[in-house]
Amino acid sequence: MSLNSIFQFLVPKDKKFFPLFEQAAAGLILLAETLHGAVNAPKAEREDLFRRVEELEAELEEITHKTHLELSRNFITPFDREDIHSLVKAMDNVADNMHGASSRMRLYQVEKITKSIRKLTEINLEACQLIGVGIKELKVMNHKAIKDTCKKINKLESKADSVFDKAVADIFENETDAKNVIKYKEVLSALEMASDKCKSVSNVMEQISVKHS
């Protein structure tokens, strides 16, 4: 057993890092809720919601930065330092891609929000909510609950892949305006990538759980 592992038994795990993990997860859920709300809102209300997505993404970046600072300041960590880095980076990547989708809808002035876009934001919201559950279970190292939660996230990622593939096929078959093809494919790609990054978060959580089982 490593020296760090010995200290982990002696020191409370939530003094520094778990509050940051929980803040990041809560921010991720709020960002996903805001984006899902934006694509279901009337056109006149979308701009404020897209702007809020941008603000939330910046807040998550700040949490990631704070976590890295804590890593440099603290010798004792709740689990391996590289896993802490991977966990917060993976959550930050989810936020980056959801923000990317939001930014593209703003910049490209996507007026018609398709069912596929709405479905992908719904899937991402559900996956982010599960990330929040997984972070809580990591705090107490509930290995079965972590495994079950990660399995659900992985299923959602597969579902997002199917929605994305069908949506892109429909675009190429039915859309005659080349500009619209590019617009919609980029938005859909960012949303699908966000679901991939949710799976990356689940992989890190499961990896941490296995190491501590």
Side-chain angles (χ1 to χ4, degrees):
M1 183 179 287
S2 69
L3 183 60
N4 190 49
S5 296
I6 293 170
F7 277 123
Q8 286 167 11
F9 287 107
L10 303 175
V11 178
K13 295 183 178 182
D14 60 349
K15 291 293 185 183
K16 295 286 185 181
F17 292 99
F18 273 102
L20 290 168
F21 301 154
E22 290 166 346
Q23 286 174 37
L28 203 56
I29 293 167
L30 184 55
L31 194 158
E33 286 175 344
T34 305
L35 182 57
H36 186 54
V39 300
N40 284 282
K43 181 184 172 184
E45 297 175 15
R46 286 179 205 154
E47 179 61 27
D48 287 343
L49 291 168
F50 287 147
R51 193 177 296 115
R52 180 60 180 147
V53 167
E54 186 173 5
E55 292 170 355
L56 289 166
E57 191 271 339
E59 290 173 13
L60 276 160
E61 280 191 356
E62 182 59 27
I63 294 170
T64 301
H65 177 64
K66 286 180 181 177
T67 306
H68 289 150
L69 285 177
E70 290 299 336
L71 276 174
S72 67
R73 291 170 179 161
N74 290 274
F75 175 66
I76 301 166
T77 57
F79 38 81
D80 291 349
R81 306 174 76 83
E82 61 267 25
D83 289 332
I84 291 175
H85 172 79
S86 296
L87 182 60
V88 294
K89 181 62 179 173
M91 286 195 281
D92 192 44
N93 285 339
V94 176
D96 284 345
N97 281 280
M98 288 194 291
H99 173 236
S102 173
S103 295
R104 285 164 175 78
M105 283 186 273
R106 288 177 73 189
L107 292 171
Y108 301 160
Q109 299 180 350
V110 175
E111 295 187 5
K112 182 183 177 184
I113 304 296
T114 64
K115 289 182 180 179
S116 297
I117 290 173
R118 291 191 180 100
K119 188 60 181 175
L120 285 171
T121 61
E122 179 185 330
I123 290 170
N124 285 333
L125 171 56
E126 189 173 346
C128 289
Q129 290 168 337
L130 286 167
I131 287 170
V133 172
I135 293 295
K136 287 183 172 63
E137 300 300 347
L138 267 183
K139 189 173 183 178
V140 294
M141 283 298 168
N142 185 337
H143 303 294
K144 184 181 184 304
I146 294 167
K147 184 177 180 179
D148 291 344
T149 300
C150 291
K151 191 180 294 184
K152 290 175 184 177
I153 294 172
N154 293 347
K155 284 183 179 179
L156 286 170
E157 190 271 338
S158 296
K159 188 175 179 181
D161 284 345
S162 297
V163 173
F164 172 77
D165 289 342
K166 185 178 184 304
V168 171
D170 287 345
I171 289 170
F172 283 115
E173 183 176 350
N174 300 313
E175 184 57 65
T176 56
D177 188 329
K179 289 182 180 179
N180 282 336
V181 171
I182 294 169
K183 286 180 183 181
Y184 284 108
K185 189 170 185 303
E186 287 208 16
V187 171
L188 290 164
S189 294
L191 290 170
E192 191 272 336
M193 183 58 72
S195 73
D196 284 347
K197 298 305 180 182
C198 287
K199 183 177 179 179
S200 296
V201 176
S202 82
N203 289 342
V204 176
M205 292 193 296
E206 195 160 24
Q207 178 180 307
I208 293 167
S209 175
V210 168
K211 284 184 180 180
H212 289 262
S213 61

